[in-house]
Amino acid sequence: MPGCGVLGLCQYETNKLVRIQSVRLGSLKWSLNGFILLFICIMMLWNRKYQEFDLVVSSVTTKVKGVAQTHMLGVGDVVWDAVDYSGPSQDRNSFFVVTNVIVTEKQKQGKCPEVPLKGRLCRTDKDCEKGDWDQWSHGIQTGSCVKFDVLKKTCEVSAWCPIETKTNPPRPALLAAAENFTVLIKNNIRFPAFNFIRRNILPQMNDAYLRSCQRGNDSLCPIFRLGDIVREAGEKFSEMAVEGGVIGIQIKWDCNLDRLMQRCLPKYSFRRLDEKESNKTLYPGLNFRYAKYNTVNGVEERTLYKAFGIRFEVMVFGQAGRFSFIQLIIYIGSTLSYYALTTMLIDWLIGTSCYSAEVGQNYFQRKVESVQDKQKCILCVSYVDEDNLRLVKRSQKKSLQDVKPTSVEPRTDDAGHLRAVLCLLQPGVGVGRDAQPPLDNKPDPNHKPRRPAWCKCERCGPSSLPQEELCCRRSGGACITSSPLFEQLVLRRSLLEAVLLYQDPLSPPADQGQTAALRHCAYRQYISWRFGVPPNDTHPAIPSCCVWRVREAYPSPDGQYSGFRPARMASMKACANGEL
Ligand code: ZN
Ligand code: ZN
């Protein structure tokens, strides 16, 4: 390349395009491009690709309200209000509601028989070790084996007595009425990037609205009935209340902060977070113990509660978007590559049988320009008994006549040449010095001592170079040099001189020293006649019989000829210069 080094900086390369004039392909292209544009626009508006986004930062507080009355064995009717059923502690972003309870009353520090858990019984004091305990124990063993009930004996322990004996929660749940409790969720959010603040209790919600709103007919109401929450999570409250569980309350904020389409409202959804199949799951539900202490006659007593309940976890997530010119540019840039699909599809269509093979071949030839590597010298061969031109790879071993063609191409006539030649052939034109050398029978020292095997026309001469071993015919028959047109078009001196003069109008008249120029001109005449315009990047090969005939007519004084040397040729002008 000439553009090496610094010169390379002063160059710009761009793609060469092929424009196919076709109504079908044109309308297909615009339809596809229109479809792609539509798709891009829909995706942009749907996903708000023109916006920059920020994630939500939030805080949540809750307030549960409701009262329920239960009847407990040995205690009687007990009223539970928010303080009782909310459990002892409140976590961040969650609240707890007791739905079921096992109460063990009046526990005091003392000694009592251990509960026979997992069949752990004893017969004598030897079975019990003083000071022993494990993770199932309610206290520390004293070393005695005592009666638990009429049938069983268990080790005595120092513990809070009496020990809690019930293991399974009551069914139905004691506080199943918690279904009707309500919770007010207050959620403050902020989008730091846009400095935007909002609450789920919207500005237009007043006290009267909050007292009366219901989730059933207003999805924005921030007050929820617990039964509704559990139902929307796909669970049954009365079932879930027995062993407890965890429910997630999801608040999703998907905000559009553009001025024209501003919208920023919460969306609530609910789902169960723990495993729900209690008969298959080990340790199902949710429970914990707490106690209330009091002193009776100077002795400390406690009431132990094993509370089962539902923990509601409030999860807030979401994002806000606002128009950003940079995001829009980035999105547009990222979609440009989709238009390549049109080219790919149409190129593929042209290649398939959707088009006639002829049209497809034509498009393909115009679209793809084949360039040969320097090593691969493609020769162009024309036989007088064949219409088409053959393209043949040059071989160093096989004679050119025997090499198989790589492709066959139709002949393209050189219209200008044809016209000029026909004009010169008019009677009376350029007849002045028609000193064509006579075809005498003088034996030529170079002339064919014997006919080579590859020759079909009987007039070729032997050669030491395989690329020169070419006959004018594919099959046996008359030689092209025997045609009167060969004399007229290739050999006639007046014609060759006229052509030379045409190319160089001020050249002196041809004399003896110019036989080389006349010979080369004769080769050119032959190529124009037989090949027309040879296909690009190919080198026309002249049959041996013609070469010998031209040499015979315009011999070199010293009997030396350069022979066939195919060189890279761009045009017919360069074709015969200094060759053969
Ligand atoms: Zn021959
Ligand atoms: Zn021949």
Side-chain angles (χ1 to χ4, degrees), residues 384 455-460 470-473 477-482 526 543-546:
V384 69
C455 175
K456 311 283 180 193
C457 72
E458 312 279 341
R459 292 205 184 180
C460 296
L470 179 70
C471 186
C472 64
R473 302 187 63 90
C479 182
I480 190 168
T481 58
S482 63
Y526 179 80
S544 174
C545 49
C546 304

Side-chain angles (χ1 to χ4, degrees), residues 107-110 112 138 158-163 293 300-302:
Q107 284 189 324
K108 286 176 216 158
Q109 290 280 334
C112 50
H138 289 90
S158 300
W160 284 96
C161 295
I163 292 170
Y293 297 85
E300 192 181 33
E301 280 185 13
R302 74 173 193 187

